[in-house]
Amino acid sequence: MPTKQPQDAATLSLGNRLALERTRIAYERTLMAWVRTGASMITFGFSVYKFFGFELEKFAINASVFGPREFGIALILIGLATLIMGRLEHRRDLRRLNEVYPEMPVSGTRIVEALVAVLGILALIAVILRL
């Protein structure tokens, strides 16, 4: 009985191609979940900094050692770390999938992730410089 040779991407059946495409799209959805989480953390951190910064100024309250600025910076950094972790996981998964599905389309989700990361870095700089 002959042994079954692994198929290359050109000889995959339609069902196998569709299964690979569904897997790729699932990886894209997973990265978008990472992006939503990271963006939420970044915007929440910046909002905490701005809102409570205004409140402290309005009532002339001195912030403690860990005030709204430090809390905002921490949340923004956690959001940026979330984006980095999502990007690394996505890259690892797509590399593994690319071994079986080399004609896989380029990920457009990475562009969205990069733009959110740039906005997160700008928010971090704004908080650090007290803008």
Side-chain angles (χ1 to χ4, degrees):
M1 189 159 143
T3 60
K4 188 173 182 181
Q5 296 294 324
Q7 293 180 322
D8 64 348
T11 61
L12 289 174
S13 69
L14 178 61
N16 288 341
R17 283 178 174 277
L18 291 175
L20 291 169
E21 189 62 25
R22 282 190 299 270
T23 302
R24 183 189 69 81
I25 292 170
Y27 289 149
E28 298 294 316
R29 284 192 306 265
T30 302
L31 179 59
M32 286 307 296
W34 282 99
V35 170
R36 281 190 302 272
T37 303
S40 297
M41 297 298 286
I42 290 167
T43 55
F44 186 61
F46 190 74
S47 299
V48 163
Y49 164 68
K50 284 303 219 182
F51 177 75
F52 287 107
F54 289 139
E55 291 299 311
L56 291 176
E57 287 177 11
K58 186 169 37 171
F59 295 110
I61 299 171
N62 290 331
S64 63
V65 175
F66 196 76
R69 181 172 177 260
E70 292 77 17
F71 188 70
I73 289 172
L75 286 175
I76 292 170
L77 288 173
I78 291 169
L80 288 171
T82 301
L83 293 173
I84 291 169
M85 289 186 312
R87 178 68 168 248
L88 292 175
E89 179 183 277
H90 186 256
R91 184 172 52 180
R92 180 201 66 210
D93 293 339
L94 287 188
R95 276 190 189 156
R96 197 170 43 215
L97 187 61
N98 195 34
E99 293 171 2
V100 180
Y101 186 34
E103 68 270 3
M104 177 175 52
V106 176
S107 172
T109 309
R110 288 182 180 178
I111 296 168
V112 174
E113 184 270 339
L115 290 173
V116 172
V118 167
L119 290 175
I121 291 168
L122 292 174
L124 181 64
I125 290 169
V127 173
I128 289 173
L129 297 178
R130 298 177 190 258
L131 299 177

